[in-house]
Amino acid sequence: MPESTLNIPLDKLPRHIAIIMDGNGRWALQRGLPRLAGHKAGTENLRRIIRASVEFGIQYLTIYAFSTENWGRPPEEVQGLMGIVQDVIDRELEELNREGVQLRHIGRLERLEPRLRGKVLKAIERTKNNDRLILIVAFSYGGRDEIVWAIQRMMKDGILPENVDDEMVSRYLYTAGVPDPDLVIRTSGELRISNFLIWQAAYSEWYFTPTYWPDFNKDEYRLALEAFAHRERRYGKVSSSELQESNA
Ligand code: FPP
């Protein structure tokens, strides 16, 4: 059973949180800094939010770090982001490991250059027995790409059309075995899904905030979780209180 430092009943705590860490570029622009400075500040913040997630007792955290579309950014920004990931693995891996964080990856690793790919695979291997927090890094990830890949593999495996259902599709996604996100947070005021977990987030609750990612701190994270605790999740059905009233 997870332990939490939050004042929220455990059954009202999301098991899986997914975050679109948006606004690094605008955060930097606002300060007259290059975009990469924004990504560095965003990475510092990511470290704080990972620690807070462990403390809050969150079991799964998925972060959108680099989309399939992000390959189209200027080469120096793409290179810079790759360098940041490399640095993070070099500097933070042992600490994350000590804290019980298990690293996983979703997306197209084959597009990364071999050295970085090797580091990522090693980090995954190193942390595979940890279970305090499962940190899923969506890197070179796209939701449509994931669904196409799943369909291709189902066809290769000779799955019969009549055997394809929701559960089967879920099993063929990168996130097989991971519960769907309960809560998706998007920073920076954008109100879009941007090809992130488009299958898995079908019934997720959303929390949007104008705060740019580098400034999304632990207090605001706590507010997002408190807001979630007050949501009523109906999954397309009617609320239980309405049902009781209509049966009375
Ligand atoms: C969105 O801001 C952010 C990104 C595309 C990159 C997020 C990456 C990190 C925080 C790096 C750390 C990742 C790992 C795995 C260590 P934006 O550039 O789209 O901002 P803008 O919309 O204001 O331009």
Side-chain angles (χ1 to χ4, degrees):
M1 204 58 179
E3 283 179 31
S4 173
T5 58
L6 288 172
N7 207 4
I8 294 175
L10 282 182
D11 65 334
K12 294 277 181 192
L13 202 62
R15 228 177 128 193
H16 182 177
I17 298 177
I19 307 184
I20 303 181
M21 311 181 287
D22 200 6
N24 292 346
R26 278 163 286 163
W27 182 93
L29 193 71
Q30 230 178 25
R31 289 163 175 75
L33 297 169
R35 292 179 58 81
L36 264 188
H39 293 315
K40 286 192 181 139
T43 306
E44 285 305 307
N45 194 46
L46 176 58
R47 180 204 274 164
R48 293 189 282 270
I49 294 299
I50 293 171
R51 307 263 130 89
S53 303
V54 170
E55 198 185 293
F56 292 164
I58 304 303
Q59 285 176 274
Y60 296 88
L61 176 67
T62 301
I63 49 159
Y64 204 9
F66 193 84
S67 69
T68 42
E69 292 69 34
N70 287 154
W71 287 107
R73 290 195 175 194
E76 54 288 1
E77 184 170 345
V78 172
Q79 270 316 310
L81 279 165
M82 300 295 151
I84 288 178
V85 175
Q86 196 146 314
D87 280 359
V88 167
I89 297 177
D90 288 343
R91 284 189 287 116
E92 308 282 342
L93 182 63
E94 283 318 308
E95 178 71 20
L96 288 170
N97 192 37
R98 264 196 301 280
E99 285 174 5
V101 176
Q102 181 191 128
L103 276 173
R104 292 192 195 172
H105 168 264
I106 55 174
R108 297 273 185 174
L109 263 193
E110 66 271 23
R111 290 190 70 177
L112 268 59
E113 57 117 335
R115 217 171 96 84
L116 181 55
R117 191 166 61 231
K119 272 186 194 277
V120 172
L121 290 172
K122 252 172 130 171
I124 292 170
E125 178 63 25
R126 177 95 179 93
T127 60
K128 68 175 186 207
N129 295 321
N130 296 337
D131 62 2
R132 188 116 191 252
L133 171 73
I134 297 184
L135 176 64
I136 303 168
V137 181
F139 198 90
S140 188
Y141 170 87
R144 287 188 173 184
D145 183 59
E146 178 182 32
I147 292 170
V148 168
W149 180 77
I151 294 170
Q152 287 171 341
R153 282 169 51 249
M154 278 192 275
M155 294 181 82
K156 276 189 196 145
D157 285 354
I159 305 289
L160 295 171
E162 56 270 33
N163 291 336
V164 177
D165 57 11
D166 278 22
E167 204 190 305
M168 172 73 73
V169 175
S170 296
R171 268 198 272 140
Y172 272 85
L173 298 174
Y174 295 126
T175 48
V178 173
D180 287 340
D182 304 292
L183 173 66
V184 186
I185 297 172
R186 182 166 192 157
T187 57
S188 93
E190 305 294 345
L191 307 177
R192 289 188 290 277
I193 193 162
S194 296
N195 206 10
F196 185 47
L197 302 178
I198 50 180
W199 174 276
Q200 299 88 336
Y203 284 103
S204 302
E205 296 293 322
W206 282 77
Y207 180 88
F208 294 105
T209 169
T211 308
Y212 292 150
W213 172 250
D215 292 331
F216 181 83
N217 60 20
K218 190 171 163 185
D219 288 338
E220 194 171 358
Y221 193 20
R222 190 181 286 116
L223 284 181
L225 297 178
E226 283 166 4
F228 174 83
H230 288 102
R231 302 269 180 97
E232 189 197 20
R233 303 183 75 190
R234 293 197 294 273
Y235 301 95
K237 306 195 176 85
V238 294
S239 77
S240 46
S241 54
E242 250 181 278
L243 259 185
Q244 272 162 12
E245 264 170 46
S246 63
N247 288 338

